[in-house]
Amino acid sequence: DGNELTDIADYMQENTTNNEKTDLYGIAKDKNVIFISLESLQTFVINNTVNGEEVTPFLNDLIGESYYFENFYHQTAQGKTSDSEFIVENSLYPSPRGAVYFTHAQNDYHSLPEIIGNEGYYSTVFHPNNKSFWNRDVMYENTGYDHFFDVDAYEVTEGNSVGWGLKDKDFFSQSMKYLETMQKPFYAKFITLTNHYPFELAEEDATIEKYDSNSKTLNSYFQTARYMDESIEEFFTYLKESGLYEDSIIVLMGDHYGISDFHKKAMSMYLDQEYTDYLHVQLQRVPFYIHIPGQEGEVISKIAGQVDVKPTLLHLLGIDDSNDLSFGTNLFADERKPYIALRDGSFISDEYVYTKDQCFNRETGELIDTTTGTADEESTCQLYIEQVEEELSYSDQIIFGDLFRFYNFKDENVIEEVE
Ligand code: GP9
Ligand code: MN
């Protein structure tokens, strides 16, 4: 019943309440929100080179005119892209097994599209895949999306497809006609596709050379990442030409890793670094940008994660969410939760990276201690290990028990009495 929610709601209110109003509160009020999900893009390619050439020149330049979070972690699990969508829009954790999009698509949520829909936003997703992939059609309908431009909205031919489907450049160019006529203000989520395993690309679309290692996957990854970078640049040009650019904030985020542990050896060679459990966690960083017209760029180094996106966007849009229940905190607030939890119980704090019973210094990667010693040898990371486990389990309880159906988000946090 709703009683188990009482403790969880108290915990969430206490640990992640988003009451603090910064100078940026409402800075994007009534502006369109364009959210670009960057398929499989990891932070290690940003400001990096392959064979002496920049991998993502456009995204590198974009740092100079955006809030760019260099220590932003994906928190996805088996649900991959769908998990990233779920985390971002609900500020909850994904499921420890399977994908919430499949297993709990009918729950009561308090999702971003629904919340901003109540403020007059028209919400839509652009993604050239079958609408039922990841059960998106069901989940989108349930979480307040007004429309989903799925594969049927696009002209897909052999010539403009590769790998998983429509090439990103064609995806953006074909999307513009819909975007230009859209009811405003809108929240439009664009999910890219070309930079997806196995990172296939037509020869004519390759503008940089492949990497040379024992991993075909990593070798190709740089080329498709560059292709995606070019497609984003073209999209920005279209937005400027259409006049939408000035009236929109543009958010870009990597959805999850693209290069798995299977490619350790090649990664280690590329990064010229030993592949440790510490490095594995640090490689879970994905790019996160918020571009606000008229705002200067800033590189923000504080730790951040996908759960933080929802409260951050609501803050920028000037939508009061102090009654909301989230596991993330507004990234611009001074008072923030002191760690970013990953789905497997690993976490990152200002000082430490904790994973697989080991506590590392976050800056240096030096192993500080392990938790497998004797009982009196407490790990330096001990402070948060249990809290992270508790928090993940709270999120699971909310999802598995569909607990938000007992919560009244409008009326001062009242837990509705249930029979
Ligand atoms: C599929 C696309 C990729 O529609 O979002 O899914 P992924 O395999 O990355 O979850
Ligand atoms: Mn993906």
Side-chain angles (χ1 to χ4, degrees):
D1 58 32
N3 290 339
E4 47 193 317
L5 184 61
T6 314
D7 289 346
I8 300 176
D10 284 351
Y11 172 89
M12 292 169 91
Q13 285 286 357
E14 204 160 294
N15 286 278
T16 61
T17 183
N18 285 300
N19 292 331
E20 187 185 328
K21 296 204 171 32
T22 72
D23 292 351
L24 292 176
Y25 183 78
I27 188 142
K29 194 165 176 51
D30 294 328
K31 287 215 184 299
N32 305 312
V33 179
I34 297 173
F35 187 101
I36 307 174
S37 174
L38 305 165
E39 178 58 47
S40 300
L41 197 68
Q42 292 174 238
T43 301
F44 80 86
V45 298
I46 302 292
N47 279 331
N48 214 337
T49 58
V50 67
N51 308 314
E53 291 190 85
E54 274 182 283
V55 184
T56 54
F58 179 73
L59 289 173
N60 297 348
D61 286 349
L62 193 63
I63 292 175
E65 43 182 274
S66 310
Y67 292 103
Y68 174 70
F69 294 83
E70 61 179 358
N71 288 305
F72 181 95
Y73 294 80
H74 87 81
Q75 295 166 299
T76 66
Q78 288 166 353
K80 306 301 300 275
T81 312
S82 74
D83 276 355
S84 81
E85 296 180 66
F86 178 74
I87 304 165
V88 161
E89 284 163 1
N90 297 285
S91 196
L92 298 172
Y93 294 100
S95 178
R97 48 187 178 272
V100 181
Y101 263 49
F102 274 120
T103 60
H104 294 85
Q106 307 286 4
N107 277 10
D108 270 14
Y109 292 111
H110 191 58
S111 298
L112 187 67
E114 179 193 323
I115 297 170
I116 66 178
N118 292 333
E119 306 288 320
Y121 274 79
Y122 184 82
S123 300
T124 178
V125 183
F126 294 81
H127 182 54
N129 199 352
N130 296 323
K131 64 178 194 284
S132 60
F133 195 93
W134 283 129
N135 205 28
R136 282 184 171 113
D137 51 346
V138 177
M139 192 64 164
Y140 288 168
E141 168 93 51
N142 182 29
T143 52
Y145 274 105
D146 294 300
H147 193 76
F148 178 16
F149 292 95
D150 63 23
V151 70
D152 294 334
Y154 297 89
E155 201 181 309
V156 185
T157 64
E158 217 172 289
N160 67 18
S161 306
V162 71
W164 278 59
L166 188 63
K167 297 176 181 180
D168 289 343
K169 288 185 184 176
D170 298 85
F171 167 54
F172 286 119
S173 67
Q174 288 191 33
S175 297
M176 284 311 294
K177 60 176 179 293
Y178 302 120
L179 200 62
E180 280 172 28
T181 53
M182 191 154 287
Q183 179 190 318
K184 296 188 188 75
F186 57 73
Y187 168 64
K189 172 163 73 177
F190 289 81
I191 305 172
T192 61
L193 203 52
T194 307
N195 191 45
H196 191 291
Y197 180 84
F199 310 110
E200 280 174 52
L201 201 63
E203 214 167 306
E204 76 258 23
D205 292 323
T207 51
I208 56 173
E209 293 292 314
K210 285 189 179 180
Y211 184 54
D212 184 14
S213 74
N214 73 342
S215 163
K216 217 177 142 239
T217 301
L218 183 63
N219 297 350
S220 315
Y221 180 71
F222 296 103
Q223 277 191 336
T224 50
R226 164 60 87 92
Y227 174 83
M228 176 164 63
D229 181 77
E230 291 170 7
S231 79
I232 308 290
E233 178 170 25
E234 290 186 6
F235 187 36
F236 270 64
T237 305
Y238 302 146
L239 291 172
K240 285 177 184 163
E241 284 166 0
S242 69
L244 286 169
Y245 185 77
E246 288 301 319
D247 284 327
S248 307
I249 65 166
I250 306 173
V251 182
L252 302 98
M253 185 194 79
D255 60 350
H256 50 73
Y257 68 80
I259 305 299
S260 72
D261 267 2
F262 193 70
H263 308 277
K264 271 182 191 174
K265 206 173 152 201
M267 275 303 280
S268 185
M269 171 176 143
Y270 175 71
L271 298 170
D272 193 17
Q273 223 177 314
E274 193 193 340
Y275 200 103
T276 60
D277 291 329
Y278 164 81
L279 180 61
H280 171 79
V281 171
Q282 292 299 69
L283 284 173
Q284 304 315 304
R285 283 176 292 186
V286 293
F288 184 65
Y289 295 79
I290 302 175
H291 180 274
I292 305 175
Q295 289 289 116
E296 273 175 36
E298 190 181 335
V299 176
I300 300 177
S301 301
K302 62 179 141 189
I303 53 167
Q306 288 173 330
V307 285
D308 298 325
V309 176
K310 179 188 177 192
T312 304
L313 290 182
L314 289 174
H315 188 79
L316 296 174
L317 296 175
I319 298 171
D320 180 31
D321 66 335
S322 40
N323 284 341
D324 201 3
L325 294 181
S326 59
F327 286 111
T329 33
N330 166 21
L331 288 170
F332 295 105
D334 289 326
E335 263 200 54
R336 304 197 58 238
K337 211 167 58 182
Y339 55 80
I340 298 299
L342 306 187
R343 180 61 255 193
D344 67 355
S346 301
F347 65 82
I348 301 95
S349 70
D350 270 348
E351 288 175 84
Y352 308 116
V353 166
Y354 173 78
T355 189
K356 295 184 182 158
D357 295 329
Q358 300 159 92
C359 190
F360 297 94
N361 178 307
R362 182 171 73 95
E363 295 291 343
T364 65
E366 184 196 348
L367 179 67
I368 300 168
D369 56 31
T370 62
T371 52
T372 45
T374 57
D376 50 74
E377 276 178 67
E378 285 241 309
S379 159
T380 322
C381 287
Q382 206 69 42
L383 193 56
Y384 302 129
I385 295 175
E386 272 171 37
Q387 190 177 339
V388 166
E389 287 301 335
E390 182 177 52
E391 189 166 305
L392 290 165
S393 124
Y394 281 159
S395 183
D396 295 344
Q397 288 176 55
I398 291 170
I399 294 165
F400 297 158
D402 190 10
L403 297 186
F404 279 178
R405 74 199 141 112
F406 302 119
Y407 195 80
N408 188 336
F409 285 94
K410 289 199 188 78
D411 194 18
E412 304 276 315
N413 316 333
V414 172
I415 309 284
E416 288 167 355
E417 288 296 324
V418 281
E419 298 293 308

